[in-house]
Amino acid sequence: MDIDEDIGDSSPAETPATKMSRQQILTLIAMASINFSSMICYSILGPFFPSEAKKKGVSQAMIGLIFGIYALCTLVGSLLLGKYIVQIGAKFMIVAGLFVSSGCTVLFGFLDQVSDGTVFIVLCFITRCINAIGFSAAVTASFAVLAKVFPDNIATVLGFMEIFTGLGLILGPPLGGWLYQSFGYEIPFVFMGCLLFATVPLNLWILPSFDAVPSSQNSFLRLCTRIKILLICFVVFTLSSGLGFLDATLSIFAIEKLNLSAGSVGLLMIGLSLPYGAASPVFGVISDKYPSNRKWMMVIGGMATAVSFCFLGPLPVFHIRSQLWLTVLMLIVVGFSLCMTCIPTFAEMIACAHENGFEEGLSTLGLVSGLFSAVWSAGMFFGPTIGGYITQALNFEWSAGVQGAIAFLAALLQVIYFTIEDIQKKSQKANRTDRSLSEGEKSPLLPKTDHLRVDVS
């Protein structure tokens, strides 16, 4: 395919790193604040909410569903909002989404006051659903805006943004666990909700407005007819499924099997978030500088993710006892491998869309961003829900092995697809060479001279 050659020139990619316009700088600040505050709010539930919900009479499978419903609503919201991002306006979607999400985060902190059982579960579902719609609006628009402002360096910029995503994921669990142990259930959500709300006036002030014309030709159905797009979507699904699974099940596993406290569980999750955030800018630069290597980054990262999930428990077939050092080591490997796999995916989806006739504009970027967020959310629903069910039916070790098997399947399908693609490219290149040689053989060595008249007298 020509996409590798089209975006393979790395020379223009270095210019924005040293010289950025005012709009680009303001956009970076705005997106960094969204990534950090959203992720710190999202990640505070992991260390203490599952155990708190258990006290309310909620089963492990239902806890997984409470985590998963957030992702399911984000999926629906991302598809709808990504389709109509031009009509709604990217800036309005970001600001309104942050406002709704911050309010729901604060409200979630007061659910411990309601009665146990059904009432608690229903209110958890309602709050999480509304929160998810706001989150999907902000995230879908932010991805599209970044791709619009940084068209030649999207992987590098996303890698830089993932630093703040990683910081939010790093600080969220230990800070949430500490606030929970020190002040109770309400304070973590109130504090984080207020932090998220502070980004509303910030983005309203510094984020530029983006004008665009709607396109009637672009659609999710047309985008999803490309095999490469579907394959990348499956890769994204496996990544988010693994993360969602760990959010819903790791804390209980660490408390029951490794005898850790809620605060220590928050520190344990840093083993996943820290390498992810640290490696993101590196893999982003590599992805933009060597775009032809993106596909193999996704393959190698997927294989490493599969192996690390199998040893996270580890799987009972290995006959290895669960140990803290092994869990920490595998979380570190998962962080690096997920980063290596995730960073190239969005840039590859945009490149594939442009290669197949989608116009270069905010409308296409909104579709790609919406599809990416929707698939990510589908994995975040599948991971906690199915993972929680398998954990309850069997144990954490087998459930982690299932996540590893899904990651391995995605990597294997990529190897098959990219191998066939390379063979077809070589065959087409050989055919073009043969045609050019045959045309060269048919052409006369000397020009025709019939029209020349030579006077020999």
Side-chain angles (χ1 to χ4, degrees), residues 114-348:
V114 303
S115 58
D116 298 353
T118 305
V119 176
F120 176 78
I121 294 172
V122 170
L123 290 178
C124 282
F125 277 123
I126 294 174
T127 310
R128 293 279 286 174
C129 288
I130 299 175
N131 194 344
I133 298 298
F135 177 80
S136 64
V139 171
T140 301
S142 65
F143 270 92
V145 165
L146 282 175
K148 175 73 173 177
V149 178
F150 299 93
D152 300 320
N153 306 83
I154 182 59
T156 301
V157 173
L158 284 179
F160 177 74
M161 287 294 104
E162 290 303 303
I163 295 177
F164 296 92
T165 300
L167 285 175
L169 293 173
I170 289 170
L171 295 177
L175 183 58
W178 177 77
L179 290 172
Y180 170 74
Q181 286 186 325
S182 302
F183 304 102
Y185 179 84
E186 295 90 353
I187 298 301
F189 295 101
V190 173
F191 177 80
M192 301 300 182
C194 292
L195 177 65
L196 184 60
F197 181 78
T199 64
V200 173
L202 175 66
N203 284 274
L204 195 60
W205 174 49
I206 68 174
L207 192 64
S209 298
F210 300 92
D211 297 326
V213 178
S215 175
S216 58
Q217 298 180 349
N218 295 344
S219 67
F220 284 112
L221 183 61
R222 181 186 167 206
L223 187 63
C224 293
T225 56
R226 309 310 304 171
I227 296 178
K228 188 175 182 180
I229 290 288
L230 294 177
L231 184 60
I232 296 175
C233 286
F234 184 52
V235 173
V236 173
F237 174 85
T238 63
L239 299 177
S240 58
S241 175
L243 288 175
F245 163 75
L246 292 176
D247 280 338
T249 59
L250 181 61
S251 61
I252 295 178
F253 168 76
I255 291 173
E256 294 180 352
K257 288 290 185 72
L258 304 177
N259 299 318
L260 298 181
S261 64
S264 298
V265 172
L267 294 175
L268 180 65
M269 289 183 173
I270 294 179
L272 173 67
S273 306
L274 184 59
Y276 182 90
S280 293
V282 178
F283 287 126
V285 172
I286 294 174
S287 178
D288 274 336
K289 194 170 185 180
Y290 306 103
S292 60
N293 293 332
R294 287 174 183 163
K295 55 187 179 183
W296 301 118
M297 288 173 63
M298 292 188 289
V299 169
I300 296 172
M303 291 291 186
T305 301
V307 173
S308 54
F309 265 109
C310 289
F311 282 93
L312 184 62
L315 268 175
V317 295
F318 297 128
H319 303 289
I320 301 175
R321 186 170 56 88
S322 300
Q323 301 177 71
L324 180 59
W325 71 267
L326 181 61
T327 302
V328 173
L329 178 61
M330 289 302 102
L331 285 175
I332 292 173
V333 177
V334 169
F336 276 114
S337 59
L338 287 180
C339 177
M340 178 185 289
T341 311
C342 181
I343 293 299
T345 53
F346 188 65
E348 277 293 285

Side-chain angles (χ1 to χ4, degrees), residues 329-373:
L329 178 61
M330 289 302 102
L331 285 175
I332 292 173
V333 177
V334 169
F336 276 114
S337 59
L338 287 180
C339 177
M340 178 185 289
T341 311
C342 181
I343 293 299
T345 53
F346 188 65
E348 277 293 285
M349 289 178 70
I350 294 176
C352 186
H354 290 163
E355 184 188 39
N356 287 279
F358 283 77
E359 61 186 24
E360 299 186 11
L362 189 60
S363 179
T364 299
L365 296 176
L367 283 178
V368 175
S369 178
L371 181 61
F372 182 90
S373 300

Side-chain angles (χ1 to χ4, degrees), residues 365-429:
L365 296 176
L367 283 178
V368 175
S369 178
L371 181 61
F372 182 90
S373 300
V375 174
W376 182 275
S377 301
M380 293 297 286
F381 173 77
F382 177 88
T385 306
I386 304 301
Y389 175 79
I390 297 175
T391 301
Q392 181 173 313
L394 299 174
N395 53 37
F396 175 85
E397 291 85 342
W398 280 111
S399 191
V402 171
Q403 294 296 326
I406 296 173
F408 177 79
L409 176 61
L412 180 62
L413 291 176
Q414 289 180 89
V415 171
I416 295 173
Y417 175 83
F418 292 135
T419 301
I420 295 174
E421 184 184 58
D422 288 341
I423 293 174
Q424 290 177 343
K425 287 167 65 175
K426 290 179 182 178
S427 177
Q428 292 172 359
K429 185 177 180 180

Side-chain angles (χ1 to χ4, degrees), residues 82-96:
K83 173 67 175 176
Y84 298 104
I85 186 173
V86 175
Q87 291 86 340
I88 299 173
K91 182 175 181 178
F92 178 79
M93 279 178 59
I94 291 174
V95 174

